[in-house]
Amino acid sequence: MAKKSKIAKEKKIEATIAKYAPLRAQYKKEHNYAGLQSLPRNASPVRAHNRDQIDGRPHAYMRKFGVSRLKFRELAHKGQIPGVHKASW
């Protein structure tokens, strides 16, 4: 489980990105780089990280399922992910 502060910080960054998205798009369209630089750093979409939706783990994130590899394995063994089953040969 990730620290609550890290999860909260990530949500704050996502809110900042959403807040400045229209202004950012306008500056990019006008090629106004001075305007882009005046925006907060956390307004850049590059600064957002993918986190596990269940426990907030930032590493080993599986984009297709929205969870980390650890939670994916746990849920797959329980049969809670549709279309995924343990391989055997």
Side-chain angles (χ1 to χ4, degrees):
M1 178 86 182
K3 290 169 49 174
K4 300 282 186 187
S5 61
K6 290 290 187 179
I7 295 171
K9 181 180 178 183
E10 195 65 39
K11 287 182 181 179
K12 185 177 178 184
I13 290 172
E14 289 173 8
T16 305
I17 291 169
K19 178 180 177 183
Y20 288 100
L23 188 59
R24 184 176 182 78
Q26 177 186 351
Y27 285 153
K28 287 187 92 165
K29 190 175 187 180
E30 297 170 355
H31 300 288
N32 184 355
Y33 299 110
L36 279 173
Q37 288 179 344
S38 68
L39 296 176
R41 284 190 177 191
N42 285 340
S44 175
V46 173
R47 292 176 72 95
H49 297 94
N50 292 323
R51 285 188 174 267
D52 187 331
Q53 294 174 354
I54 299 170
D55 63 4
R57 188 175 200 275
H59 297 291
Y61 177 80
M62 298 179 75
R63 188 176 291 186
K64 184 175 180 180
F65 300 100
V67 294
S68 67
R69 65 177 177 83
L70 302 173
K71 284 293 175 184
F72 174 80
R73 186 170 191 269
E74 182 181 309
L75 295 173
H77 280 299
K78 291 179 182 176
Q80 295 178 346
I81 301 177
V84 175
H85 59 277
K86 187 176 177 186
S88 62
W89 60 89

